[in-house]
């Protein structure tokens, strides 16, 4: 109760500050939603303060534990030794995105492997949602070996916690701990995983049914409110004639 009271006081202070600064209403709502998300996750616990109070050795162990399982979920690092995973965990960057935030846009350079730690991310091909990424799903692992521009757009669907394994740090770590044959095998695994994913998307199409963006297409889409209302009108008319004609 004391933590919640403190949180409410903090929210009141933030709200007054945003009004004083005359921030746009949409931006105010996003900020408030973010703090409420943080409350739902941590329940008032100051994670940064707790981590800062720990010795550096323990901080490192906690960070490695949080990152290592996600990094090990990459196909190219399955079976990798703990030393390599710990080294990569040191370079992993953690970012939090709000709903509808763009993580990566089509044509942007991919800076490394993107791994979802929490939340959901939409992978867009044009305006079509190709699939949704959840925990331990990844994107752009092949860019760890060669520079690449993204052919997809990544957009946060919910509040999302995303890990980024930078390609330059990854190459530095594997060249110091792996031989050339192991590195070549990793690169082949990344390319094979990319081809398999492309085949699945072509075979089954979009993983999510989306509403067309055109105004009239949205109106006539089977899942639109207009089509639902029209179906109800037809059902009512059919029921009326079903009973009235025999009479």
């Amino acid at each position: 109760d004391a933590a919640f009271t403190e949180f409410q006081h903090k929210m009141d202070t933030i709200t007054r500050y945003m009004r004083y600064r005359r921030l746009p209403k949409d931006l105010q709502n996003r900020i408030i939603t973010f703090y409420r998300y943080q409350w739902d996750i941590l329940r008032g616990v100051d994670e940064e303060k707790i981590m800062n109070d720990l010795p550096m050795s323990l901080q490192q162990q906690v960070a490695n534990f949080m990152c290592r399982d996600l990094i090990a979920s990459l196909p190219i690092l399955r079976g990798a030794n703990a030393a390599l995973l710990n080294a990569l965990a040191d370079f992993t960057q953690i970012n939090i995105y709000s709903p509808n935030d763009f993580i990566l846009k089509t044509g942007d350079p991919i800076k490394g492997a993107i791994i979802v730690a929490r939340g959901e991310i939409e992978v867009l091909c044009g305006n079509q949602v190709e699939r949704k990424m959840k925990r331990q799903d990844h994107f752009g692992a092949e860019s760890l070996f060669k520079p690449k521009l993204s052919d997809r757009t990544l957009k946060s669907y919910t509040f999302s916690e995303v890990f980024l394994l930078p390609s330059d740090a990854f190459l530095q770590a594997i060249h110091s701990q792996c031989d050339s044959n192991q590195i070549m095998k990793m690169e082949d695994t990344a390319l094979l995983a990319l081809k398999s994913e492309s085949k699945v998307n072509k075979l089954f199409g979009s993983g999510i049914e989306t509403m067309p963006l055109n105004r009239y297409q949205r109106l006539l889409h089977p899942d639109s409110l207009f089509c639902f209302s029209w179906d109800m009108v037809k059902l009512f008319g059919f029921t009326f004639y079903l009973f009235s004609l025999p009479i």
Side-chain angles (χ1 to χ4, degrees):
D1 293 340
F4 183 71
T5 302
E6 184 180 351
F7 170 73
Q8 292 283 28
H9 177 71
K10 179 180 180 180
M11 293 303 299
D12 292 339
T13 303
I14 292 172
T15 301
R16 289 197 300 270
Y17 169 78
M18 292 189 297
R19 290 176 180 172
Y20 171 74
R21 287 297 185 181
R22 296 181 180 179
L23 298 180
K25 195 69 176 178
D26 179 63
L27 181 58
Q28 292 186 34
N29 292 334
R30 293 182 63 187
I31 293 173
I32 291 174
T33 304
F34 171 77
Y35 277 107
R36 287 176 178 169
Y37 164 78
Q38 289 287 83
W39 167 260
D40 291 337
I41 295 296
L42 300 174
R43 293 293 173 179
V45 176
D46 191 342
E47 186 177 27
E48 184 176 355
K49 183 178 183 303
I50 292 175
M51 292 295 294
N52 290 335
D53 290 340
L54 294 175
M56 286 301 299
S57 59
L58 292 180
Q59 290 185 31
Q60 190 65 45
Q61 292 180 33
V62 172
N64 288 346
F65 174 78
M66 293 175 60
C67 299
R68 191 166 54 192
D69 289 344
L70 287 172
I71 295 174
S73 66
L74 289 172
I76 60 175
L77 293 175
R78 287 173 186 166
N81 57 57
L84 177 59
L85 295 177
N86 289 337
L88 294 175
D90 293 340
F91 300 108
T92 302
Q93 302 172 10
I94 305 175
N95 301 291
I96 297 178
Y97 295 93
S98 300
N100 298 320
D101 281 352
F102 287 99
I103 301 171
L104 188 67
K105 292 185 178 180
T106 302
D108 289 348
I110 306 177
K111 298 180 180 179
I114 296 172
I115 313 170
V116 182
R118 185 183 288 119
E120 294 184 1
I121 294 174
E122 293 179 333
V123 180
L124 302 172
C125 181
N127 292 324
Q128 186 76 12
V129 179
E130 191 172 74
R131 63 188 177 99
K132 279 188 178 180
M133 297 170 56
K134 298 183 180 180
R135 178 173 173 81
Q136 291 192 346
D137 288 340
H138 58 87
F139 181 87
E142 67 280 0
S143 69
L144 292 172
F145 301 93
K146 295 180 181 179
K148 182 183 177 184
L149 300 180
S150 177
D151 57 354
R152 297 290 187 274
T153 295
L154 301 187
K155 185 178 180 182
S156 183
Y157 183 72
T158 62
F159 276 102
S160 305
E161 188 173 330
V162 178
F163 286 19
L164 173 66
L165 178 59
S167 55
D168 53 351
F170 172 80
L171 291 175
Q172 179 182 348
I174 64 173
H175 279 98
S176 63
Q177 300 197 30
C178 303
D179 56 39
S180 57
N181 290 331
Q182 291 175 319
I183 295 174
M184 187 178 300
K185 185 177 179 181
M186 287 182 182
E187 186 173 359
D188 292 340
T189 302
L191 295 176
L192 182 61
L194 178 63
K195 291 179 180 178
S196 299
E197 182 180 309
S198 300
K199 288 180 180 179
V200 169
N201 289 332
K202 289 180 180 178
L203 181 61
F204 296 104
S206 173
I208 304 296
E209 182 72 19
T210 56
M211 190 78 74
L213 299 180
N214 181 276
R215 178 179 177 184
Y216 297 103
Q217 288 178 336
R218 290 177 62 90
L219 188 65
L220 300 177
H221 193 274
D223 292 335
S224 67
L225 179 62
F226 173 80
C227 284
F228 175 78
S229 303
W230 178 244
D231 288 340
M232 295 303 295
V233 170
K234 291 192 294 183
L235 177 62
F236 175 78
F238 174 77
T239 305
F240 173 78
Y241 279 106
L242 183 65
F243 290 96
S244 63
L245 287 178
I247 295 176

